[in-house]
Amino acid sequence: MNILQTYQTFYFVGIGGIGMSALARYFNASGKNVLGYDKTNTKLTQNLMNEGIDIVFEDLIDERITSLQKEDTLVIYTPAIKTLGILDFFNQNQFEVLKRAKVLGLITENTDCIAIAGTHGKTTTSTLVAHLCKEADLPFSCFLGGISENFKSNFLYNGSTYSVVEADEYDRSFLNLSPDWAVVTSTDADHLDIYGDINHIEEGFRQFAALVPQDKQLFVRKGLEIGRGHQTYAVNEPADYYSDNLRMDHDKIYFDFHTPTETVKDFVWEIPGIHNVENATVALAILHNLGADFDTLKKAIANFKGIKRRYTKHIYQNGKIYIDDYAHHPTEINAVMSSIRTFYPDKKLLVAFQPHLFSRTRDFADGFAESLSKADELILLDIYPARELQENFEGVTSSWLLDKVILDKKEVSTLSDTFEKIKEKEFDILLTVGAGNIDTLYDPICEWIQKI
């Protein structure tokens, strides 16, 4: 019997994380007693509480914790939390304590798991696969790393035959999964604090790919060396599955999709960027192999609304355009910048970027500087530390990074000052970008641009 079935209560330490909250929603939807802790009250934790989940925001051992029985309670934690009194209490009192990735892996053991991995593209691809599964009415549950604009959630239950999961390479979490179908979108350098160098990252993805049984399907972006048999996918070049004949009409992209045996013309897609057509290509390949018909898939591709904070775009009557994006790696920022410059080549672009992690800023400083130099004006926020301590990264600051950016108009700002600085600028397009708490500016900016 799966260990998860022996517990009625699930306590989440760090419940407000995007991956943790999806698991919390899964157990809550399964009729379990779900509660947890997070250090910050956010829109996401508010939504969880509205769904009936009890959450505290102070590291206190109160009756809600001391009344829990270890025989009936599974404690789930995120590796982003290093030290916490609540977590110490559970460990000292011999509760079963598991990492988030281990629990997600246990869930996938009892399903046909569709796992989407890659340093870039996995959130969009996994969310699109889930959307296509829903439109095709397949019996599935999904655990996503972003908030689907179609579902308004990072979790959806539509049955339990299939599970659609975002396979996270951080902390080698994806090696806990039991994938039956899998995708590798990219193996670029990232999380060097965990892997050390690109060779170990690539080896991690090869280990993940090896988890897929030989009689199941593995899809890999053409050109990646993954070390075992697989199906390839690509855009504008032949592969086992590929898309070509891309045309833009206003904000829509049209493309043709090729399987090994047929061509389906004129898919309509509203998510900008060739990299996102790649994501759509492999999602279509998976659903085609699951038996979905192309009429259904065409309609589903056309009505996919994307993911919150993945190129979330607003066009206002006053002519201003506001785009918000989660990009936190130079490759991702380049993709966003390229999309903006393709659609709006002559508009003045103001970028507000919040670097995420001192280690990532240090490791990719030149790449960040190159990508940010494509703006017309830059506001560079202080580095968001997440799990890191600044004293361990002497000299790694936003001012240090700003010196590398080749722009006439550039400055450093705290998060609290950024909104006022934005209001003083002249721009046609505003891009806020980063994976920290820069998202707290989203609502104030939307309200302000609407009024000007």
Side-chain angles (χ1 to χ4, degrees), residues 61-74:
I61 311 301
D62 60 15
E63 186 180 351
R64 279 181 286 196
I65 290 178
T66 57
S67 64
L68 296 175
Q69 303 298 311
K70 66 180 180 181
E71 295 79 13
D72 184 52
T73 304
L74 178 64

Side-chain angles (χ1 to χ4, degrees), residues 26-287:
Y26 169 78
F27 289 114
N28 194 46
S30 303
K32 303 295 186 179
N33 177 36
V34 179
L35 61 163
Y37 158 86
D38 206 275
K39 66 179 180 180
T40 307
N41 191 356
T42 64
K43 276 187 178 180
L44 184 49
T45 55
Q46 283 293 327
N47 288 337
L48 294 176
M49 289 188 285
N50 292 340
E51 294 165 23
I53 296 173
D54 187 10
I55 302 176
V56 297
F57 300 96
E58 292 184 88
D59 185 15
L60 297 174
I61 311 301
D62 60 15
E63 186 180 351
R64 279 181 286 196
I65 290 178
T66 57
S67 64
L68 296 175
Q69 303 298 311
K70 66 180 180 181
E71 295 79 13
D72 184 52
T73 304
L74 178 64
V75 179
I76 303 167
Y77 74 101
T78 168
I81 291 180
K82 303 299 183 185
T83 59
L84 194 74
I86 291 173
L87 194 56
D88 290 342
F89 172 86
F90 287 126
N91 282 315
Q92 290 164 7
N93 286 276
Q94 299 177 325
F95 281 72
E96 184 78 40
V97 178
L98 297 179
K99 281 185 180 180
R100 176 192 68 86
K102 178 65 174 177
V103 176
L104 184 58
L106 291 169
I107 292 172
T108 65
E109 284 181 3
N110 295 325
T111 66
D112 283 340
C113 174
I114 305 166
I116 314 297
T119 44
H120 319 296
K122 58 182 174 289
T123 300
T124 298
T125 306
S126 56
T127 305
L128 177 57
V129 169
H131 171 69
L132 297 181
C133 285
K134 184 175 187 298
E135 295 296 290
D137 199 26
L138 296 179
F140 79 101
S141 300
C142 64
F143 302 84
L144 308 174
I147 303 297
S148 161
E149 294 283 16
N150 291 87
F151 308 153
K152 304 300 181 188
S153 180
N154 56 346
F155 169 75
L156 186 71
Y157 181 83
N158 196 53
S160 57
T161 302
Y162 300 98
S163 61
V164 179
V165 303
E166 181 169 328
D168 187 3
E169 73 277 7
Y170 174 70
D171 202 30
R172 295 181 171 83
S173 294
F174 56 3
L175 300 184
N176 290 280
L177 299 174
S178 297
D180 298 284
W181 309 71
V183 174
V184 178
T185 66
S186 53
T187 59
D188 290 352
D190 199 3
H191 302 301
L192 297 185
D193 54 326
I194 299 294
Y195 289 94
D197 58 40
I198 183 65
N199 293 328
H200 286 92
I201 291 171
E202 292 173 347
E203 177 58 27
F205 280 101
R206 284 192 289 271
Q207 291 172 356
F208 166 76
L211 297 175
V212 182
Q214 290 290 342
D215 60 340
K216 299 292 185 178
Q217 291 281 12
L218 171 66
F219 299 89
V220 177
R221 171 67 177 89
K222 186 176 180 180
L224 297 181
E225 295 295 331
I226 216 66
R228 57 151 287 178
H230 57 266
Q231 300 277 300
T232 60
Y233 71 95
V235 169
N236 288 334
E237 59 175 318
D240 294 316
Y241 294 86
Y242 68 100
S243 296
D244 63 5
N245 194 22
L246 275 63
R247 297 93 71 201
M248 282 193 297
D249 184 5
H250 295 88
D251 281 356
K252 294 184 178 180
I253 297 173
Y254 295 77
F255 64 89
D256 300 340
F257 174 69
H258 302 263
T259 77
T261 59
E262 59 187 313
T263 297
V264 185
K265 293 184 176 295
D266 298 329
F267 279 84
V268 183
W269 175 246
E270 293 192 10
I271 311 300
I274 290 178
H275 62 292
N276 279 321
V277 180
E278 281 186 3
N279 298 334
T281 300
V282 72
L284 288 169
I286 291 170
L287 268 292

